[in-house]
């Protein structure tokens, strides 16, 4: 029923890569108007045609867009968008996957957050659901985020989306091989050099 819409989402947000199972479940739930997952995980998935935050220059004035320094920043951000596959609004701003080719090929994509100041944040977990559940655990009424995570994980399992663990301390926390912040700086610096700004 949603195959074409899922394929379109994958093309637009993941460059046609195979979609993780939990992302498929969460998207269909949003499209069907089921709000339990969105409420638990604080996620709102992008609709077709929404601009990737790293490519969005609509908030800049014509003068800013004409500035060579800003052009270098925008060009570096556009290059960065090839590796930062954002799929939803939530968390500190936007959430998605870090798909740099130098990352470990035999594990799930790393999770990544981009905040509204354009800083990158890593997330724990092997799936988007795990990462968001871990993040949401720190916003629950329960002050111990480990207990809160177990509670969120139990609620997700009841909704038909079990996590790989209900133990907060067992969540995957593998570090990136390529640091997004450092790469972004390198890409912007390369664009500055192209424009003779360095």
């Amino acid at each position: 029923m949603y195959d074409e819409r899922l394929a379109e989402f994958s093309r637009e947000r993941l460059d046609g890569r195979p979609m993780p199972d939990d992302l498929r479940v969460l998207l269909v739930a949003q499209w069907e108007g089921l709000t339990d997952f969105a409420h638990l995980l604080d996620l709102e998935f992008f609709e077709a045609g929404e601009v990737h935050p790293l490519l969005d220059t609509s908030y800049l004035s014509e003068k800013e867009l004409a500035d060579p320094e800003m052009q270098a920043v925008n060009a570096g951000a556009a290059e960065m968008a090839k590796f930062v596959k954002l799929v939803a609004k939530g968390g500190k701003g936007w959430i998605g996957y870090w798909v740099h080719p130098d990352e470990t090929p035999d594990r799930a994509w790393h999770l990544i957050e981009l905040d509204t100041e354009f800083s990158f944040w890593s997330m724990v977990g092997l799936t988007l659901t795990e990462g968001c559940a871990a993040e949401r655990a720190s916003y629950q009424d329960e002050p111990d985020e480990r207990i809160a995570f177990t509670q969120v994980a139990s609620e997700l399992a009841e909704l038909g989306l079990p996590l790989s663990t209900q133990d907060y301390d067992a969540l995957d926390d593998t570090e990136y091989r390529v640091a997004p912040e450092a790469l972004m700086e390198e890409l912007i610096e390369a664009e500055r050099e192209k424009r003779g700004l360095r």
Side-chain angles (χ1 to χ4, degrees), residues 86-143:
L86 300 174
V87 296
K89 301 164 201 164
K92 298 173 177 70
W94 304 278
I95 295 173
Y97 304 98
W98 176 238
V99 297
H100 194 281
D102 292 341
E103 291 299 334
T104 309
D106 59 347
R107 76 175 298 280
W109 298 327
H110 282 284
L111 303 172
I112 194 164
E113 275 185 282
L114 176 65
D115 70 19
T116 54
E117 302 296 316
F118 279 23
S119 295
F120 297 99
W121 302 81
S122 64
M123 298 173 74
V124 298
L126 289 171
T127 66
L128 187 71
T129 308
E130 288 181 0
C132 292
E135 183 157 293
R136 294 304 301 158
S138 60
Y139 296 101
Q140 303 300 311
D141 291 336
E142 168 57 56

Side-chain angles (χ1 to χ4, degrees), residues 39-60:
H39 174 73
L40 269 177
L41 301 174
D42 187 32
L43 284 179
E44 180 188 345
F45 291 97
F46 289 118
E47 294 296 336
E50 283 191 71
V51 179
H52 188 301
L54 288 173
L55 302 176
D56 185 7
T57 58
S58 64
Y59 61 94
L60 297 172

Side-chain angles (χ1 to χ4, degrees), residues 22-192:
D22 70 316
L23 176 57
R24 179 183 304 270
V25 170
L26 294 169
L27 279 168
V28 170
Q30 177 172 300
W31 295 338
E32 291 184 345
L34 306 175
T35 58
D36 292 338
F37 290 129
H39 174 73
L40 269 177
L41 301 174
D42 187 32
L43 284 179
E44 180 188 345
F45 291 97
F46 289 118
E47 294 296 336
E50 283 191 71
V51 179
H52 188 301
L54 288 173
L55 302 176
D56 185 7
T57 58
S58 64
Y59 61 94
L60 297 172
S61 68
E62 285 185 31
K63 182 179 178 185
E64 289 170 317
L65 288 169
D67 178 61
E69 180 67 30
M70 185 57 71
Q71 289 175 351
V73 170
N74 290 338
E79 281 298 306
M80 192 69 178
K82 294 176 181 176
F83 312 119
V84 180
K85 298 302 171 189
L86 300 174
V87 296
K89 301 164 201 164
K92 298 173 177 70
W94 304 278
I95 295 173
Y97 304 98
W98 176 238
V99 297
H100 194 281
D102 292 341
E103 291 299 334
T104 309
D106 59 347
R107 76 175 298 280
W109 298 327
H110 282 284
L111 303 172
I112 194 164
E113 275 185 282
L114 176 65
D115 70 19
T116 54
E117 302 296 316
F118 279 23
S119 295
F120 297 99
W121 302 81
S122 64
M123 298 173 74
V124 298
L126 289 171
T127 66
L128 187 71
T129 308
E130 288 181 0
C132 292
E135 183 157 293
R136 294 304 301 158
S138 60
Y139 296 101
Q140 303 300 311
D141 291 336
E142 168 57 56
D144 185 334
E145 66 186 0
R146 288 166 179 77
I147 294 170
F149 175 77
T150 300
Q151 292 169 347
V152 172
S154 295
E155 289 182 63
L156 287 165
E158 286 172 21
L159 292 170
L161 196 55
L163 305 183
S164 67
T165 181
Q166 291 197 0
D167 179 357
Y168 184 89
D169 293 324
L171 286 167
D172 182 86
D173 196 14
T174 306
E175 290 190 15
Y176 301 136
R177 284 185 176 180
V178 178
E181 292 281 351
L183 179 60
M184 179 82 158
E185 287 176 24
E186 286 174 28
L187 292 170
I188 292 171
E189 192 58 36
E191 293 295 335
R192 285 182 178 129

